[in-house]
Amino acid sequence: MLTVRTIHAVDAETAKTYDTARLREKFHVSDTFADGEIRLTYTHYDRMIVGGAVPAGQNLVLDHVPETGTPSFLDRREMGILNIGDAGTVSAGGETYEMNRGEILYLPVGAGAITFGGNGRFYVTSSPAHRVTVAKLIRQEDARKVELGSAETANDRTIYQCIHPDVVDSCQLVMGYTQLHNGSVWNTMPAHTHDRRMEAYLYFDIAEGQRVFHFMGEADETRHMVMSEEDIAISPPWSIHCGAGTGSYTFCWVMAGDNVDFTDMDMIPMEDLR
């Protein structure tokens, strides 16, 4: 079963007028992972698609999606897939990839239909692509690992850069995930924007009863959304994107836009935040 939701782009001035319900309607995605289903959200921010595929022991095939306007999903797109569940398989381009939890698969344009199997819980991301590259399974030990922050500032974290120029060649997608260590709750502070790219956060590994407060908006007009396990925040290019939890958590970040330079950020001084 396939379902697709569409989110249209919103400018910063309009977003300032939104109440909580409207903010969540336009920038928050929930109920993405359901047994036996593929659920996608098509955004009008760099045409990024995010979603979930949960085969639950059966096979799920992702091929034709009317919203892309192409016969097959990857005809003009590339894809990044993160497994946040048990072991599973992804088949595409004549290859089958065994994926364990925490592993990311990059699929290039033209890879054909994608089949999800086993007991994986697959987070699916995709953006348009303009050239053919090569598929690659990135295991945790293959990722570019960056240690940042400290326990003293409650942001001791490990960043796993997976779809990254130092790891795999991609067109637009940049993707990985950040693990907050015990006692640390803040991510991506000091805050930044990158006007040349959009970004999406999938929050997971949130303990039962805990929450993450995702901050967004312009630096002088911030808002927040309360995130639960497996919720996704859509971040427009004009928005900051950072968060604080009531306990430790992990989040997967994915970007698409003009470049694949992870460090292309416009930093916001802490004193400028409002």
Side-chain angles (χ1 to χ4, degrees):
M1 179 179 177
L2 170 69
T3 57
V4 183
R5 171 193 176 192
T6 297
I7 292 180
H8 291 279
V10 175
D11 66 276
E13 288 301 313
T14 301
K16 291 178 183 180
T17 68
Y18 287 170
D19 62 11
T20 299
R22 188 68 165 163
L23 200 71
R24 291 175 72 86
E25 177 187 343
K26 292 296 185 179
F27 303 105
H28 176 270
V29 180
S30 61
D31 298 323
T32 298
F33 299 88
D35 286 356
E37 296 186 31
I38 299 174
R39 295 182 176 181
L40 304 178
T41 296
Y42 183 108
T43 84
H44 282 250
Y45 300 104
D46 291 293
R47 303 289 169 171
M48 173 70 77
I49 292 175
V50 295
V54 187
Q58 306 297 316
N59 283 338
L60 291 176
V61 178
L62 178 58
D63 192 4
H64 176 63
V65 176
E67 284 75 6
T68 67
T70 56
S72 187
F73 188 83
L74 290 181
D75 283 351
R76 297 180 62 87
R77 286 181 162 271
E78 59 187 345
M79 178 178 287
I81 303 166
L82 167 65
N83 185 8
I84 61 172
D86 294 331
T89 62
V90 177
S91 300
E95 299 287 339
T96 296
Y97 303 89
E98 302 278 348
M99 292 187 66
N100 295 314
R101 181 179 174 85
E103 297 178 346
I104 287 181
L105 175 64
Y106 171 74
L107 293 176
V109 62
I114 309 104
T115 301
F116 301 92
N119 294 302
R121 202 169 181 85
F122 298 105
Y123 177 48
V124 177
T125 69
S126 176
S127 66
H130 57 273
R131 62 187 176 89
V132 177
T133 52
V134 178
K136 184 175 181 178
L137 175 61
I138 303 106
R139 304 192 188 280
Q140 198 170 66
E141 60 268 24
D142 301 324
R144 186 173 185 267
K145 187 177 176 182
V146 181
E147 305 286 353
L148 287 178
S150 68
E152 288 74 18
T153 50
N155 66 348
D156 182 21
R157 62 200 190 275
T158 301
I159 301 175
Y160 294 92
Q161 298 173 341
C162 299
I163 301 177
H164 180 281
D166 290 343
V167 181
V168 63
D169 182 32
S170 68
C171 293
Q172 285 201 75
L173 277 179
V174 180
M175 183 178 177
Y177 55 94
T178 300
Q179 291 180 333
L180 277 292
H181 300 305
N182 286 338
S184 289
V185 296
W186 276 103
N187 78 69
T188 325
M189 272 292 190
H192 64 265
T193 60
H194 28 71
D195 193 52
R196 294 150 295 280
R197 294 185 304 218
M198 65 81 65
E199 189 162 3
Y201 278 13
L202 166 72
Y203 287 99
F204 63 104
D205 288 345
I206 302 174
E208 186 176 355
Q210 304 302 307
R211 293 293 184 270
V212 175
F213 289 72
H214 177 88
F215 294 92
M216 63 166 295
E218 293 181 293
D220 61 353
E221 192 79 30
T222 61
R223 302 286 190 271
H224 76 267
M225 297 185 296
V226 179
M227 312 297 287
S228 303
E229 174 73 359
E230 299 181 344
D231 281 356
I232 301 168
I234 305 298
S235 182
W238 48 262
S239 177
I240 67 166
H241 37 280
C242 56
T246 57
S248 58
Y249 54 93
T250 304
F251 66 98
C252 176
W253 39 268
V254 62
M255 296 177 278
D258 274 333
N259 63 46
V260 292
D261 181 0
F262 183 84
T263 62
D264 181 14
M265 306 172 185
D266 301 313
M267 304 304 294
I268 309 295
M270 198 73 78
E271 58 269 23
D272 290 348
L273 291 173
R274 296 290 183 270

